[in-house]
Amino acid sequence: MSGIGRQVVISGIGLLTALGEGGEANWKAIVDGRSGVRQIQAYDTSRLQTTLGAEIDGFDPSRFATRRQLNTMNRGDQLGLAAASLALADAGIDTGTELGLRTGLFLGGNKSMGRMDQLIKGLRTVRRPDGTADMKALGEKADTIMPPLFFVEGLQPGAVFHISQTFGIRGANAFFAGTADAGATAIARAVRAIQRGDADRIIAGGYEDATSWWSMTHMDRMGVLTTRNDLGETAFRPYDQTRSGAVLGEGGALLVLEEKEAALARGARIYAELRGVGNGHDGRTPPATDPEGRGLVRAVRRALDDARLNPADLGYIASHGAATKIGDRSETAALRTALGDASRSVPISSIKPQTGHLVGGAGALNVAVSALALHYGAVPATANLETPDAACDMDLVRGEARDTRPDTALALARGLEGQAVALALGRAA
């Protein structure tokens, strides 16, 4: 189902990563080859196998949220609200009044816990001298140990509420839980909602506090992160023969999507058009990936069909590029199947080695980077790619960005549970 008659464009880009704040700053850092990956500084990582991450320095959530809001937000929610604020500002949208019923909000993330600081401090008071839990004491003190809004704060779609409240968003809304697929799915569903006429404008994308202690302990033993801590900022090496896994990064990537005629009528700057979306699933037991990437094959084919694009027409692919052995090879196999000969001629790159893997925000970041590539007329390189794996026989952009003036792009995202999402973009007419 596609082509309902309403075209969808990207009019605002809100990015917050270890490389900087805003679309322009992030794009410049990406093209310049800078990296935000380093040893994690926020806590002791000595018990983790992976001690690298792409943390955001100097993030001040009070610039975007009230003190009352901050009392019920974890860092991921704060990053989501900040990215939404940046996207709306970039789009030139007046937020002095409620955005109302015709504005929607579609978000993706991997939130599983609220702030733990106060709870951990309180739980220390119900330990016996030998370190065991004193359940009697817990019952007596529970009302003072548990923060009053702890469970509300921990709800996955918390940022949907906070962003809606801040900007008076009253229209269509949804939250998608997952990894890289989550933010990309949020954008894909937002495209459909605008095409159907459910909304005229939607803020959509993903965010993640992926370098937090809680997130790192989830991912550390799954075999998808690099343990080459000695390599520092060069440890994340998609498609390279020496790749050993990903490095996580925190941040947010939210876009303002609008119905094209409405955006043009208000004189908006248009980065790109969103022309097609596609989804698929590997159908394998996670975190195993189908060796042929069958879910990604379907997602790519559906996105191209939806956009009425031939594979040879593609000017850039923002790949998933998570730097696992089977992940990169299965992505290559999927693109070879879906694109045929074009898989060896379309410029392909992953910007994750510079920003880190944003998990729930990673797919949305790929959409933003694709839009920026079309807007600025260049294709970014894959950092740290020195000796490509022979099995990844694609036109992998490495070294420096290419000024190729692409007219179309494809943004990819793959989830740990087998999900695959593809979005086709075109240069603004």
Side-chain angles (χ1 to χ4, degrees):
M1 179 178 176
S2 63
I4 303 174
R6 287 163 58 93
Q7 295 174 283
V8 183
V9 298
I10 298 171
S11 60
I13 296 178
L15 294 184
L16 192 62
T17 76
L19 294 179
E21 180 179 301
E24 184 177 355
N26 273 272
W27 178 255
K28 188 176 189 307
I30 290 169
V31 171
D32 288 347
R34 298 203 299 272
S35 174
V37 172
R38 64 177 188 187
Q39 292 290 322
I40 292 174
Q41 303 294 312
Y43 51 88
D44 183 355
T45 60
S46 60
R47 300 300 296 271
L48 297 175
Q49 293 185 124
T50 301
T51 62
L52 298 171
E55 297 174 296
I56 298 173
D57 290 328
F59 173 59
D60 180 8
S62 65
R63 291 173 51 206
F64 307 98
T66 65
R67 181 179 299 179
R68 183 174 182 179
Q69 285 177 312
L70 292 175
N71 286 333
T72 56
M73 301 174 76
N74 75 353
R75 187 172 175 90
D77 293 336
Q78 295 168 5
L79 293 170
L81 176 57
S85 303
L86 294 170
L88 287 166
D90 186 56
I93 292 173
D94 180 12
T95 57
T97 59
E98 287 196 350
L99 298 182
L101 292 169
R102 297 299 298 169
T103 298
L105 179 63
F106 286 59
L107 301 179
N110 195 40
K111 179 180 177 181
S112 58
M113 188 66 67
R115 291 174 301 160
M116 297 294 291
D117 310 51
Q118 186 176 344
L119 179 61
I120 291 172
K121 181 180 180 181
L123 289 175
R124 294 172 63 184
T125 68
V126 295
R127 285 172 49 183
R128 297 188 181 97
D130 64 359
T132 60
D134 187 338
M135 299 307 292
K136 182 176 183 295
L138 176 61
E140 293 170 347
K141 300 179 180 181
D143 60 337
T144 59
I145 291 174
M146 297 296 294
L149 295 176
F150 177 74
F151 294 108
V152 174
E153 177 189 317
L155 292 173
Q156 282 189 311
V160 176
F161 163 71
H162 292 294
I163 296 172
S164 296
Q165 180 192 54
T166 299
F167 301 111
I169 297 171
R170 302 287 178 261
N173 63 89
F175 179 83
F176 301 90
T179 49
D181 56 292
T185 298
I187 294 173
R189 296 304 112 191
V191 170
R192 289 290 187 249
I194 293 175
Q195 287 178 336
R196 287 194 302 262
D198 295 340
D200 297 323
R201 175 194 299 140
I202 296 178
I203 303 166
Y207 56 93
E208 191 77 47
D209 59 338
T211 57
S212 68
W213 178 87
W214 184 257
S215 297
M216 286 293 294
T217 57
H218 275 63
M219 302 288 286
D220 191 53
R221 305 284 172 170
M222 293 186 68
V224 296
L225 302 184
T226 182
T227 57
R228 291 297 310 274
N229 302 305
D230 57 301
L231 294 177
E233 67 177 33
T234 67
F236 199 162
R237 310 171 71 83
Y239 311 113
D240 196 273
Q241 288 182 6
T242 62
R243 67 190 182 279
S244 56
V247 174
L248 300 184
E250 63 176 346
L254 268 63
L255 311 177
V256 175
L257 310 185
E258 293 190 70
E259 190 276 322
K260 184 176 181 178
E261 294 306 318
L264 291 174
R266 71 176 186 85
R269 170 187 52 196
I270 296 176
Y271 286 100
E273 297 182 14
L274 277 161
R275 297 179 179 175
V277 302
N279 299 82
H281 200 286
D282 280 346
R284 300 272 297 213
T285 302
T289 299
D290 179 66
E292 300 302 317
R294 58 187 177 184
L296 186 59
V297 172
R298 185 183 189 281
V300 169
R301 284 176 169 169
R302 286 293 302 124
L304 293 179
D305 288 346
D306 196 32
R308 296 179 175 83
L309 280 175
N310 292 316
D313 295 331
L314 285 172
Y316 172 55
I317 297 176
S319 67
H320 183 63
T324 62
K325 293 292 184 182
I326 189 171
D328 288 357
R329 289 187 176 186
S330 63
E331 184 175 24
T332 302
L335 290 174
R336 189 180 300 128
T337 300
L339 305 180
D341 291 341
S343 67
R344 293 181 173 87
S345 60
V346 179
I348 295 172
S349 67
S350 170
I351 51 87
K352 287 184 177 69
Q354 296 172 261
T355 63
H357 190 318
L358 267 58
V359 191
L365 178 59
N366 268 0
V367 180
V369 167
S370 296
L372 290 168
L374 296 176
H375 179 70
Y376 287 106
V379 171
T382 301
N384 309 327
L385 177 54
E386 297 173 354
T387 309
D389 181 348
C392 301
D393 54 342
M394 304 179 288
D395 183 13
L396 298 167
V397 182
R398 54 195 180 112
E400 297 182 349
R402 297 181 191 171
D403 294 323
T404 59
R405 300 292 297 170
D407 291 320
T408 59
L410 191 68
L412 307 181
R414 305 178 80 185
L416 276 175
E417 302 82 10
Q419 303 95 324
V421 187
L423 294 100
L425 296 83
R427 183 189 294 275

